Amino acid sequence: VTCSVQAHDVWGESGNPVALSLNTSSVALSRAKLLEEPVACCYLCSLQDGTVIMDPSPKQVEDSLAELLYAGTRTEVVMMECSSPTDKIPEDTLAKLMKVAHSALGPIFGVQDELISAVEEEDDKDDRMLRQDLGLPPLDENDEEGASL
């Protein structure tokens, strides 16, 4: 899957559009049962005057010493894009940004898990109602081979 933001009008409180596209794609793939769980989350952070700024605004990114777009699983790094006006980022600074960005993924995974669970519960209810409306017998809960409508 390739996530690409073609256009956006506002990048504000809703977050970085690239991170949002990856996070929502992960939910959509999990929701479609193409994945067992959300695979990845993405987060943007920047470094300004020695302080890591979580989910910075475009102006904060513009004024920063370094910007890191970080994607990872619950335990591993998947992708990183780091940029700096000087193109020289000390290794310890990059490590600090990576650690902060990875720690920010936990709450995003939590939201993804909640979204997937809520939709799955609703789908089960919708399937039962549709079977009833079509006059089909209910599926045996132990029937693993019963297809979802």
Side-chain angles (χ1 to χ4, degrees):
V1 172
T2 301
C3 296
S4 178
V5 177
Q6 301 300 318
H8 64 89
D9 294 332
V10 178
W11 169 16
E13 292 182 27
S14 61
N16 176 274
V18 174
L20 287 171
S21 72
L22 189 133
N23 294 338
T24 55
S25 294
S26 183
V27 170
L29 290 169
S30 297
R31 166 64 193 92
K33 310 250 190 273
L34 297 172
L35 306 172
E36 290 184 23
E37 64 177 54
V39 181
C41 289
C42 189
Y43 199 79
L44 178 71
C45 60
S46 66
L47 185 67
Q48 190 172 12
D49 299 324
T51 302
V52 177
I53 299 172
M54 310 294 285
D55 198 20
S57 69
K59 176 69 173 141
Q60 289 171 316
V61 169
E62 185 180 309
D63 295 340
S64 68
L65 169 66
E67 165 193 10
L68 176 67
L69 184 64
Y70 179 95
T73 67
R74 294 177 198 266
T75 58
E76 304 291 330
V77 178
V78 173
M79 180 276 309
M80 297 186 328
E81 289 182 10
C82 191
S83 61
S84 171
T86 65
D87 289 330
K88 294 178 185 174
I89 302 168
E91 189 174 323
D92 61 332
T93 300
L94 182 58
K96 179 180 179 179
L97 284 169
M98 289 172 60
K99 184 176 181 178
V100 170
H102 194 85
S103 69
L105 300 185
I108 298 170
F109 275 116
V111 171
Q112 287 182 340
D113 292 339
E114 287 176 25
L115 288 169
I116 293 164
S117 293
V119 170
E120 286 174 353
E121 290 171 13
E122 196 62 34
D123 279 353
D124 289 343
K125 183 175 116 183
D126 289 345
D127 283 355
R128 288 190 304 273
M129 291 171 52
L130 182 57
R131 291 188 72 80
Q132 183 178 2
D133 289 348
L134 294 173
L136 298 172
L139 289 176
D140 180 359
E141 289 186 21
N142 298 324
D143 183 7
E144 295 285 330
E145 295 183 26
S148 177
L149 296 175

